Amino acid sequence: MRSIINPSKNRFKVLLERSLRKTHSINIMCNCEVEYKGRAVSHLKMGDRVVLIKPDKTVIVHQPSGRNPVNWMPAQAHIKLEESTLKIESVNPREFMKIKFNHVHVFSSSPLKDAATLKQVGSEADMAKMIYDNPRLIGEFVPASMEEQTTYGFIDVFGRDYNNNLIIIECKRYKAGLDAVQQLRRYVEKIKKDKSKEIVTGIIAAPKITSNAKKMLEDWNFKFVKIEPPMYLVPDKELQKRLEEYET
Amino acid sequence: MRSIINPSKNRFKVLLERSLRKTHSINIMCNCEVEYKGRAVSHLKMGDRVVLIKPDKTVIVHQPSGRNPVNWMPAQAHIKLEESTLKIESVNPREFMKIKFNHVHVFSSSPLKDAATLKQVGSEADMAKMIYDNPRLIGEFVPASMEEQTTYGFIDVFGRDYNNNLIIIECKRYKAGLDAVQQLRRYVEKIKKDKSKEIVTGIIAAPKITSNAKKMLEDWNFKFVKIEPPMYLVPDKELQKRLEEYET
DNA sequence: TCGGATAGGCGCCCA
DNA sequence: TGGGCGCTTATCCGA
């Protein structure tokens, strides 16, 4: 575990090499320039950033605002330190990134251990399962299978109405757009053709749908069923109260 | 600028409060637990992580591997420190995240300043522009407009063949899949209807296309034209020149 | 704000 | 490995 403020260039190099060798997680607050070439080409001029290097060799560069990194390299890249100019170069078969450090404000590293995995509820798959287990949510629906395979994609929930006509349900955890309707349409057409059925009902199950998607849905005689994903927390009284407490 | 190894809980709290007040960028290597509730619900048990807090109040939690954060809160959230148990809670109108710190390995913060914005070449828009400026890439094509508007979406490049029939081009910077073909299909159908044209040619312009997308393309009598996005792994000098051009 | 679409998207799962 | 697709996607841009 190490943390150094304003290390000299030599010192920084030694620290970085040691931390990489020990596969520590590394955080560098610095002024730097970044160059990327591979799936696109980019250049980022001088500025202060946070550079994160993980034991798996993931490199992530964050500017002081925003949720997403401005530059990065995926895991398994090869990291090389350039002797003279205080650069690191991360390379994999299809791309590379160079970081040129002008000044290191803070260097810190630590041998982080983490065996935990995120437990999460509220995904589209959870939604599909909820519908499968509670077909009444859809109405006249007898579920048959989940994750039905088509060469044109996976059908979320598959079943029949009480007249034995096929029903295909596409779930969206938030708001269904044109792409969702197109997806559904692809499945419906594929199934109609493969199983030689005349009547196949397409249903979008989502908490919301965009205006245009609704229009397209109607053009194609599909249906929209408003369903909230399980555990989806809508802005509610409790949260509002909590917020008000903090707005002081 | 500050960096502290293994701060006591009280010390950590004081440091964090000061850094937040000064709107520094903050890095915390720690053992923690994370709870999230909002667009989904999640829990992450004890483990070592890197917590990044930016001046815009973005909070990002990274495990020691992988490119993506395991938990996060977008900018503009309200951050609160809980007195007794060494937690921070980040709240916005629709979600909140709690981080409970069991131990802080390293705390560091620094007033990072960064005015630079990423200059990048090789986007889909760059591709569309390239085609618009060099219609021969497509063949028999007279470009008419870029970013043509439909209620059902934006057409990348729009034009005509030598017989004055309409051509719609959908660009993809990497590999075109089923969704790309569906997108194209949506535009073609819309234009056919709106302009009462019989013949509208749909073209996918991309470096690659998936096998299934190719099949669907053929079903719909669309065409695939193999085109690389501009600046996709070109030599250094040229890149430098090109980047400079784009920066003007 | 809504709606549509891209992203160096990432990451997961399944054939 | 390729293909399809969800994601607390984020982010941008236009109406």
Side-chain angles (χ1 to χ4, degrees):
Chain A
M1 187 178 343
R2 223 154 238 289
S3 182
I4 307 288
I5 294 178
N6 288 333
S8 70
K9 295 204 166 190
N10 274 342
R11 184 101 162 95
F12 171 56
K13 185 166 178 297
V14 171
L15 288 167
L16 186 52
E17 273 173 348
R18 187 185 316 171
S19 296
L20 284 170
R21 204 168 50 242
K22 290 186 176 176
T23 63
H24 283 192
S25 292
I26 301 166
N27 176 272
I28 306 165
M29 291 179 167
C30 62
N31 185 286
C32 66
E33 294 163 59
V34 188
E35 196 187 331
Y36 168 81
K37 202 167 147 190
R39 287 174 284 174
V41 172
S42 75
H43 183 73
L44 183 63
K45 290 191 173 153
M46 269 182 34
D48 291 331
R49 280 125 210 173
V50 177
V51 177
L52 196 59
I53 306 178
K54 299 191 181 188
D56 65 2
K57 302 288 184 283
T58 304
V59 183
I60 303 171
V61 183
H62 271 278
Q63 291 184 296
S65 74
R67 186 261 190 193
N68 282 343
V70 63
N71 280 111
W72 70 92
M73 281 290 281
Q76 317 299 345
H78 184 84
I79 298 180
K80 200 175 74 180
L81 273 71
E82 270 188 35
E83 197 68 39
S84 53
T85 50
L86 205 54
K87 276 188 213 169
I88 70 173
E89 196 167 330
S90 170
V91 184
N92 73 27
R94 66 168 175 171
E95 54 197 343
F96 76 85
M97 180 176 73
K98 274 187 211 174
I99 305 177
K100 183 184 167 204
F101 296 94
N102 299 309
H103 181 75
V104 176
H105 306 308
V106 188
F107 174 93
S108 43
S109 80
S110 186
L112 305 185
K113 297 285 170 206
D114 186 1
T117 55
L118 188 73
K119 300 292 174 197
Q120 187 163 264
V121 184
S123 68
E124 191 182 289
D126 293 328
M127 231 179 127
K129 189 171 186 329
M130 182 177 71
I131 290 170
Y132 190 83
D133 292 341
N134 307 281
R136 294 247 183 111
L137 290 166
I138 298 298
E140 193 182 300
F141 180 61
V142 182
S145 72
M146 283 167 60
E147 292 274 306
E148 180 83 7
Q149 305 262 345
T150 314
T151 47
Y152 280 2
F154 308 90
I155 295 169
D156 288 339
V157 189
F158 190 69
R160 293 162 189 281
D161 64 21
Y162 297 163
N163 297 320
N164 222 33
N165 293 315
L166 296 177
I167 293 181
I168 293 171
I169 303 176
E170 174 59 35
C171 304
K172 289 295 161 196
R173 66 182 304 285
Y174 180 49
K175 190 186 282 191
L178 292 174
D179 53 340
V181 181
Q182 289 280 83
Q183 205 180 331
L184 179 59
R185 184 177 160 193
R186 196 159 75 219
Y187 303 150
V188 169
E189 282 172 354
K190 183 68 179 166
I191 293 292
K192 269 188 183 171
K193 198 178 157 200
D194 284 3
K195 312 218 171 186
S196 305
K197 296 280 181 185
E198 277 302 310
I199 302 174
V200 179
T201 304
I203 295 178
I204 296 274
K208 294 183 184 185
I209 188 165
T210 67
S211 46
N212 289 332
K214 193 143 189 288
K215 238 178 289 170
M216 185 180 269
L217 209 66
E218 285 157 6
D219 287 349
W220 286 88
N221 270 314
F222 296 151
K223 287 180 199 160
F224 169 65
V225 179
K226 184 169 153 48
I227 294 185
E228 303 282 338
M231 304 304 297
Y232 193 90
L233 185 75
V234 292
D236 63 1
K237 278 182 191 165
E238 193 188 336
L239 184 57
Q240 200 50 44
K241 215 183 75 189
R242 205 184 267 272
L243 265 175
E244 281 158 15
E245 284 172 22
Y246 297 147
E247 295 300 334
T248 53
Chain B
M1 188 178 344
R2 225 153 234 291
S3 180
I4 308 287
I5 294 178
N6 287 334
S8 72
K9 295 203 168 191
N10 274 343
R11 188 78 202 284
F12 171 57
K13 187 170 176 297
V14 171
L15 289 167
L16 186 53
E17 273 173 348
R18 186 184 318 173
S19 297
L20 284 170
R21 203 167 51 242
K22 292 187 176 175
T23 63
H24 284 192
S25 292
I26 301 165
N27 173 267
I28 307 164
M29 291 180 167
C30 62
N31 185 286
C32 65
E33 293 164 60
V34 188
E35 196 186 332
Y36 169 81
K37 207 167 150 191
R39 288 174 282 174
V41 173
S42 76
H43 183 73
L44 183 63
K45 291 195 172 147
M46 266 181 37
D48 291 331
R49 280 126 210 172
V50 177
V51 177
L52 197 59
I53 306 177
K54 299 191 182 188
D56 65 1
K57 301 289 182 287
T58 304
V59 184
I60 302 171
V61 183
H62 272 277
Q63 290 185 296
S65 74
R67 187 262 189 193
N68 282 343
V70 63
N71 280 111
W72 69 92
M73 281 289 281
Q76 317 298 344
H78 185 89
I79 296 179
K80 194 195 166 201
L81 274 71
E82 270 189 35
E83 198 68 39
S84 52
T85 49
L86 205 56
K87 276 187 214 170
I88 71 174
E89 198 166 327
S90 168
V91 184
N92 73 27
R94 65 170 177 173
E95 54 197 341
F96 73 87
M97 182 176 70
K98 275 186 211 177
I99 305 176
K100 183 185 167 204
F101 296 94
N102 299 309
H103 181 75
V104 176
H105 306 308
V106 186
F107 174 93
S108 46
S109 81
S110 186
L112 305 186
K113 296 288 171 206
D114 186 1
T117 56
L118 188 72
K119 299 295 175 192
Q120 188 162 263
V121 183
S123 69
E124 193 181 289
D126 293 327
M127 234 180 126
K129 189 172 184 331
M130 181 176 71
I131 290 170
Y132 189 84
D133 293 341
N134 307 279
R136 295 244 183 113
L137 289 167
I138 297 299
E140 194 182 302
F141 179 60
V142 182
S145 73
M146 284 170 61
E147 292 275 305
E148 179 82 7
Q149 195 116 25
T150 313
T151 47
Y152 280 2
F154 303 87
I155 296 168
D156 288 339
V157 188
F158 190 69
R160 293 164 189 280
D161 65 20
Y162 297 163
N163 296 319
N164 223 33
N165 292 315
L166 296 177
I167 293 182
I168 293 172
I169 303 176
E170 173 60 32
C171 303
K172 289 295 160 195
R173 67 180 306 285
Y174 181 49
K175 191 187 282 192
L178 292 174
D179 52 341
V181 182
Q182 289 279 88
Q183 204 180 333
L184 179 60
R185 183 178 161 193
R186 196 159 77 219
Y187 302 150
V188 169
E189 282 172 354
K190 185 66 178 167
I191 293 292
K192 270 189 183 172
K193 200 178 155 199
D194 284 4
K195 311 219 169 184
S196 304
K197 295 280 180 185
E198 278 302 310
I199 302 175
V200 179
T201 304
I203 295 178
I204 296 274
K208 294 183 183 185
I209 187 165
T210 67
S211 47
N212 289 331
K214 192 143 190 289
K215 237 179 291 171
M216 186 180 270
L217 208 66
E218 285 158 7
D219 287 351
W220 285 88
N221 270 315
F222 296 152
K223 288 180 199 159
F224 169 65
V225 179
K226 182 170 155 49
I227 294 185
E228 303 283 336
M231 305 306 300
Y232 201 85
L233 272 178
V234 293
D236 253 341
K237 274 183 194 166
E238 194 186 338
L239 157 65
Q240 199 49 45
K241 216 183 74 190
R242 202 56 92 90
L243 271 171
E244 282 159 13
E245 283 171 22
Y246 271 79
E247 280 170 24
T248 52

Short mmCIF file of all heavy atoms in Angstrom, two decimals, chain A residues 113-153:
data_model
loop_
_atom_site.label_atom_id
_atom_site.label_comp_id
_atom_site.label_asym_id
_atom_site.label_seq_id
_atom_site.Cartn_x
_atom_site.Cartn_y
_atom_site.Cartn_z
N LYS A 113 -8.43 -6.80 -2.84
CA LYS A 113 -9.01 -8.14 -3.01
C LYS A 113 -10.52 -8.04 -2.93
O LYS A 113 -11.05 -7.46 -1.98
CB LYS A 113 -8.52 -9.08 -1.90
CG LYS A 113 -7.02 -9.32 -1.90
CD LYS A 113 -6.61 -10.26 -3.02
CE LYS A 113 -5.08 -10.29 -3.15
NZ LYS A 113 -4.64 -10.64 -4.50
N ASP A 114 -11.18 -8.61 -3.89
CA ASP A 114 -12.63 -8.52 -3.91
C ASP A 114 -13.23 -9.77 -4.55
O ASP A 114 -13.10 -9.99 -5.75
CB ASP A 114 -13.06 -7.28 -4.69
CG ASP A 114 -14.55 -7.04 -4.62
OD1 ASP A 114 -15.25 -7.83 -3.95
OD2 ASP A 114 -15.03 -6.06 -5.22
N ALA A 115 -13.90 -10.57 -3.75
CA ALA A 115 -14.50 -11.80 -4.26
C ALA A 115 -16.00 -11.65 -4.47
O ALA A 115 -16.66 -12.55 -4.98
CB ALA A 115 -14.23 -12.95 -3.29
N ALA A 116 -16.54 -10.51 -4.10
CA ALA A 116 -18.00 -10.33 -4.15
C ALA A 116 -18.49 -10.10 -5.57
O ALA A 116 -17.79 -9.53 -6.40
CB ALA A 116 -18.41 -9.16 -3.26
N THR A 117 -19.70 -10.57 -5.85
CA THR A 117 -20.34 -10.23 -7.12
C THR A 117 -21.65 -9.51 -6.84
O THR A 117 -22.31 -9.79 -5.84
CB THR A 117 -20.63 -11.49 -7.97
OG1 THR A 117 -21.41 -12.39 -7.19
CG2 THR A 117 -19.35 -12.16 -8.41
N LEU A 118 -22.00 -8.64 -7.73
CA LEU A 118 -23.19 -7.82 -7.54
C LEU A 118 -24.46 -8.66 -7.60
O LEU A 118 -24.66 -9.44 -8.53
CB LEU A 118 -23.24 -6.74 -8.63
CG LEU A 118 -24.32 -5.67 -8.48
CD1 LEU A 118 -23.95 -4.73 -7.36
CD2 LEU A 118 -24.50 -4.91 -9.78
N LYS A 119 -25.31 -8.48 -6.59
CA LYS A 119 -26.64 -9.10 -6.63
C LYS A 119 -27.62 -8.03 -7.07
O LYS A 119 -27.70 -6.97 -6.46
CB LYS A 119 -27.03 -9.61 -5.25
CG LYS A 119 -26.10 -10.65 -4.68
CD LYS A 119 -26.17 -11.95 -5.46
CE LYS A 119 -25.10 -12.93 -4.96
NZ LYS A 119 -24.86 -14.02 -5.91
N GLN A 120 -28.35 -8.32 -8.12
CA GLN A 120 -29.22 -7.29 -8.67
C GLN A 120 -30.58 -7.86 -9.06
O GLN A 120 -30.67 -8.98 -9.55
CB GLN A 120 -28.56 -6.64 -9.87
CG GLN A 120 -29.30 -5.46 -10.41
CD GLN A 120 -28.41 -4.62 -11.32
OE1 GLN A 120 -27.81 -3.65 -10.91
NE2 GLN A 120 -28.32 -5.02 -12.56
N VAL A 121 -31.62 -7.07 -8.88
CA VAL A 121 -32.97 -7.45 -9.26
C VAL A 121 -33.58 -6.33 -10.08
O VAL A 121 -33.32 -5.16 -9.83
CB VAL A 121 -33.85 -7.69 -8.02
CG1 VAL A 121 -35.23 -8.19 -8.42
CG2 VAL A 121 -33.19 -8.67 -7.07
N GLY A 122 -34.41 -6.70 -11.04
CA GLY A 122 -35.11 -5.69 -11.81
C GLY A 122 -34.73 -5.69 -13.27
O GLY A 122 -35.02 -4.75 -13.99
N SER A 123 -34.08 -6.75 -13.70
CA SER A 123 -33.66 -6.83 -15.10
C SER A 123 -34.82 -7.26 -15.99
O SER A 123 -35.89 -7.64 -15.52
CB SER A 123 -32.52 -7.83 -15.26
OG SER A 123 -33.01 -9.13 -15.02
N GLU A 124 -34.59 -7.19 -17.28
CA GLU A 124 -35.59 -7.63 -18.23
C GLU A 124 -35.88 -9.12 -18.05
O GLU A 124 -37.04 -9.55 -18.19
CB GLU A 124 -35.07 -7.35 -19.64
CG GLU A 124 -36.11 -7.52 -20.70
CD GLU A 124 -35.53 -7.28 -22.09
OE1 GLU A 124 -35.23 -6.12 -22.39
OE2 GLU A 124 -35.41 -8.25 -22.83
N ALA A 125 -34.85 -9.89 -17.73
CA ALA A 125 -35.04 -11.31 -17.50
C ALA A 125 -35.96 -11.55 -16.30
O ALA A 125 -36.81 -12.43 -16.33
CB ALA A 125 -33.69 -12.00 -17.28
N ASP A 126 -35.78 -10.74 -15.26
CA ASP A 126 -36.66 -10.84 -14.09
C ASP A 126 -38.10 -10.55 -14.49
O ASP A 126 -39.04 -11.18 -14.00
CB ASP A 126 -36.22 -9.84 -13.00
CG ASP A 126 -34.87 -10.22 -12.41
OD1 ASP A 126 -34.56 -11.42 -12.33
OD2 ASP A 126 -34.13 -9.30 -12.02
N MET A 127 -38.25 -9.58 -15.37
CA MET A 127 -39.57 -9.20 -15.87
C MET A 127 -40.21 -10.37 -16.62
O MET A 127 -41.39 -10.69 -16.42
CB MET A 127 -39.40 -8.04 -16.84
CG MET A 127 -40.28 -6.87 -16.57
SD MET A 127 -39.94 -5.58 -17.78
CE MET A 127 -41.60 -5.32 -18.37
N ALA A 128 -39.43 -10.99 -17.49
CA ALA A 128 -39.92 -12.11 -18.28
C ALA A 128 -40.37 -13.24 -17.36
O ALA A 128 -41.42 -13.85 -17.55
CB ALA A 128 -38.84 -12.60 -19.24
N LYS A 129 -39.56 -13.49 -16.33
CA LYS A 129 -39.90 -14.56 -15.39
C LYS A 129 -41.19 -14.24 -14.65
O LYS A 129 -42.05 -15.09 -14.47
CB LYS A 129 -38.75 -14.74 -14.39
CG LYS A 129 -38.93 -15.97 -13.50
CD LYS A 129 -37.71 -16.25 -12.68
CE LYS A 129 -37.86 -17.59 -11.92
NZ LYS A 129 -39.23 -17.93 -11.54
N MET A 130 -41.33 -12.97 -14.27
CA MET A 130 -42.54 -12.54 -13.58
C MET A 130 -43.77 -12.80 -14.44
O MET A 130 -44.80 -13.30 -13.96
CB MET A 130 -42.43 -11.06 -13.23
CG MET A 130 -43.62 -10.49 -12.45
SD MET A 130 -43.38 -8.75 -11.99
CE MET A 130 -43.54 -7.94 -13.57
N ILE A 131 -43.67 -12.48 -15.72
CA ILE A 131 -44.79 -12.69 -16.64
C ILE A 131 -45.06 -14.17 -16.83
O ILE A 131 -46.21 -14.63 -16.81
CB ILE A 131 -44.49 -12.02 -17.99
CG1 ILE A 131 -44.53 -10.49 -17.82
CG2 ILE A 131 -45.50 -12.47 -19.05
CD1 ILE A 131 -44.02 -9.73 -19.02
N TYR A 132 -44.00 -14.92 -16.97
CA TYR A 132 -44.12 -16.37 -17.15
C TYR A 132 -44.84 -17.00 -15.96
O TYR A 132 -45.69 -17.87 -16.12
CB TYR A 132 -42.73 -16.97 -17.31
CG TYR A 132 -42.72 -18.41 -17.74
CD1 TYR A 132 -42.83 -18.75 -19.08
CD2 TYR A 132 -42.60 -19.43 -16.80
CE1 TYR A 132 -42.82 -20.07 -19.48
CE2 TYR A 132 -42.59 -20.75 -17.19
CZ TYR A 132 -42.70 -21.07 -18.53
OH TYR A 132 -42.70 -22.37 -18.93
N ASP A 133 -44.48 -16.51 -14.77
CA ASP A 133 -45.08 -17.07 -13.55
C ASP A 133 -46.46 -16.49 -13.26
O ASP A 133 -47.22 -17.07 -12.50
CB ASP A 133 -44.16 -16.81 -12.35
CG ASP A 133 -42.86 -17.60 -12.44
OD1 ASP A 133 -42.83 -18.59 -13.21
OD2 ASP A 133 -41.88 -17.22 -11.78
N ASN A 134 -46.75 -15.33 -13.82
CA ASN A 134 -48.04 -14.68 -13.58
C ASN A 134 -48.68 -14.25 -14.90
O ASN A 134 -48.78 -13.07 -15.19
CB ASN A 134 -47.86 -13.44 -12.68
CG ASN A 134 -47.13 -13.77 -11.40
OD1 ASN A 134 -47.71 -14.30 -10.45
ND2 ASN A 134 -45.83 -13.48 -11.38
N PRO A 135 -49.10 -15.21 -15.71
CA PRO A 135 -49.59 -14.90 -17.06
C PRO A 135 -50.79 -13.96 -17.07
O PRO A 135 -51.05 -13.29 -18.07
CB PRO A 135 -49.95 -16.27 -17.64
CG PRO A 135 -50.04 -17.19 -16.47
CD PRO A 135 -49.12 -16.65 -15.43
N ARG A 136 -51.48 -13.86 -15.94
CA ARG A 136 -52.64 -12.96 -15.88
C ARG A 136 -52.25 -11.52 -16.13
O ARG A 136 -53.08 -10.69 -16.51
CB ARG A 136 -53.29 -13.04 -14.48
CG ARG A 136 -53.89 -14.39 -14.20
CD ARG A 136 -55.40 -14.30 -14.10
NE ARG A 136 -55.94 -15.61 -13.74
CZ ARG A 136 -56.50 -15.89 -12.57
NH1 ARG A 136 -56.59 -14.94 -11.65
NH2 ARG A 136 -56.98 -17.09 -12.33
N LEU A 137 -51.00 -11.20 -15.85
CA LEU A 137 -50.52 -9.84 -16.09
C LEU A 137 -50.74 -9.43 -17.54
O LEU A 137 -50.95 -8.26 -17.85
CB LEU A 137 -49.02 -9.73 -15.77
CG LEU A 137 -48.63 -9.82 -14.29
CD1 LEU A 137 -47.13 -10.04 -14.13
CD2 LEU A 137 -49.06 -8.56 -13.56
N ILE A 138 -50.69 -10.41 -18.43
CA ILE A 138 -50.88 -10.15 -19.86
C ILE A 138 -52.34 -10.22 -20.25
O ILE A 138 -52.79 -9.55 -21.17
CB ILE A 138 -50.06 -11.16 -20.70
CG1 ILE A 138 -48.57 -11.01 -20.41
CG2 ILE A 138 -50.35 -11.02 -22.18
CD1 ILE A 138 -48.00 -9.66 -20.77
N GLY A 139 -53.10 -11.02 -19.54
CA GLY A 139 -54.51 -11.23 -19.88
C GLY A 139 -54.70 -12.67 -20.30
O GLY A 139 -54.35 -13.59 -19.57
N GLU A 140 -55.24 -12.82 -21.49
CA GLU A 140 -55.52 -14.16 -22.00
C GLU A 140 -54.23 -14.79 -22.52
O GLU A 140 -53.89 -14.65 -23.70
CB GLU A 140 -56.55 -14.05 -23.13
CG GLU A 140 -57.15 -15.37 -23.54
CD GLU A 140 -58.12 -15.20 -24.69
OE1 GLU A 140 -59.13 -14.46 -24.54
OE2 GLU A 140 -57.88 -15.82 -25.74
N PHE A 141 -53.50 -15.44 -21.64
CA PHE A 141 -52.16 -15.89 -22.01
C PHE A 141 -51.75 -17.17 -21.28
O PHE A 141 -51.86 -17.27 -20.07
CB PHE A 141 -51.15 -14.78 -21.71
CG PHE A 141 -49.73 -15.14 -22.05
CD1 PHE A 141 -49.36 -15.45 -23.35
CD2 PHE A 141 -48.75 -15.16 -21.06
CE1 PHE A 141 -48.06 -15.79 -23.66
CE2 PHE A 141 -47.45 -15.48 -21.37
CZ PHE A 141 -47.10 -15.81 -22.67
N VAL A 142 -51.31 -18.15 -22.06
CA VAL A 142 -50.80 -19.40 -21.50
C VAL A 142 -49.33 -19.53 -21.88
O VAL A 142 -49.00 -19.78 -23.03
CB VAL A 142 -51.56 -20.62 -22.07
CG1 VAL A 142 -51.05 -21.91 -21.44
CG2 VAL A 142 -53.05 -20.48 -21.86
N PRO A 143 -48.45 -19.30 -20.92
CA PRO A 143 -47.02 -19.29 -21.24
C PRO A 143 -46.53 -20.67 -21.66
O PRO A 143 -46.99 -21.69 -21.15
CB PRO A 143 -46.36 -18.86 -19.93
CG PRO A 143 -47.34 -19.15 -18.86
CD PRO A 143 -48.70 -19.04 -19.48
N ALA A 144 -45.61 -20.70 -22.59
CA ALA A 144 -45.05 -21.97 -23.06
C ALA A 144 -43.55 -22.06 -22.82
O ALA A 144 -43.05 -23.08 -22.40
CB ALA A 144 -45.35 -22.15 -24.54
N SER A 145 -42.84 -20.97 -23.08
CA SER A 145 -41.39 -21.04 -22.88
C SER A 145 -40.79 -19.64 -22.73
O SER A 145 -41.39 -18.64 -23.10
CB SER A 145 -40.71 -21.74 -24.05
OG SER A 145 -40.73 -20.93 -25.19
N MET A 146 -39.59 -19.61 -22.15
CA MET A 146 -38.85 -18.36 -22.08
C MET A 146 -37.58 -18.52 -22.91
O MET A 146 -37.07 -19.61 -23.07
CB MET A 146 -38.47 -18.05 -20.63
CG MET A 146 -39.62 -17.51 -19.81
SD MET A 146 -39.24 -17.50 -18.05
CE MET A 146 -37.81 -16.43 -18.00
N GLU A 147 -37.09 -17.40 -23.43
CA GLU A 147 -35.83 -17.40 -24.18
C GLU A 147 -35.88 -18.35 -25.36
O GLU A 147 -34.90 -19.03 -25.68
CB GLU A 147 -34.67 -17.80 -23.25
CG GLU A 147 -34.35 -16.78 -22.21
CD GLU A 147 -33.40 -15.70 -22.72
OE1 GLU A 147 -32.34 -16.05 -23.22
OE2 GLU A 147 -33.76 -14.52 -22.61
N GLU A 148 -37.02 -18.39 -26.02
CA GLU A 148 -37.15 -19.21 -27.23
C GLU A 148 -36.19 -18.73 -28.30
O GLU A 148 -36.06 -17.54 -28.54
CB GLU A 148 -38.61 -19.11 -27.73
CG GLU A 148 -38.92 -19.90 -28.98
CD GLU A 148 -39.23 -21.36 -28.68
OE1 GLU A 148 -39.34 -21.73 -27.50
OE2 GLU A 148 -39.35 -22.14 -29.66
N GLN A 149 -35.51 -19.67 -28.92
CA GLN A 149 -34.48 -19.32 -29.89
C GLN A 149 -35.01 -19.16 -31.31
O GLN A 149 -35.72 -20.02 -31.79
CB GLN A 149 -33.42 -20.43 -29.92
CG GLN A 149 -32.83 -20.77 -28.60
CD GLN A 149 -31.51 -20.07 -28.40
OE1 GLN A 149 -30.96 -19.57 -29.37
NE2 GLN A 149 -31.03 -20.05 -27.18
N THR A 150 -34.63 -18.09 -31.93
CA THR A 150 -34.84 -17.92 -33.36
C THR A 150 -33.48 -17.58 -33.96
O THR A 150 -32.62 -17.07 -33.26
CB THR A 150 -35.79 -16.73 -33.62
OG1 THR A 150 -36.88 -16.83 -32.74
CG2 THR A 150 -36.27 -16.71 -35.04
N THR A 151 -33.29 -17.89 -35.23
CA THR A 151 -32.04 -17.40 -35.82
C THR A 151 -32.06 -15.88 -35.84
O THR A 151 -31.03 -15.24 -35.96
CB THR A 151 -31.88 -17.89 -37.27
OG1 THR A 151 -33.10 -17.69 -37.97
CG2 THR A 151 -31.50 -19.36 -37.31
N TYR A 152 -33.25 -15.31 -35.76
CA TYR A 152 -33.37 -13.86 -35.77
C TYR A 152 -33.48 -13.27 -34.36
O TYR A 152 -34.00 -12.19 -34.18
CB TYR A 152 -34.56 -13.43 -36.62
CG TYR A 152 -34.27 -13.45 -38.10
CD1 TYR A 152 -33.03 -13.87 -38.59
CD2 TYR A 152 -35.21 -13.03 -39.02
CE1 TYR A 152 -32.75 -13.87 -39.94
CE2 TYR A 152 -34.94 -13.02 -40.38
CZ TYR A 152 -33.71 -13.46 -40.84
OH TYR A 152 -33.44 -13.44 -42.18
N GLY A 153 -33.03 -14.03 -33.36
CA GLY A 153 -32.99 -13.50 -32.00
C GLY A 153 -33.74 -14.36 -31.00
O GLY A 153 -34.28 -15.40 -31.33
#
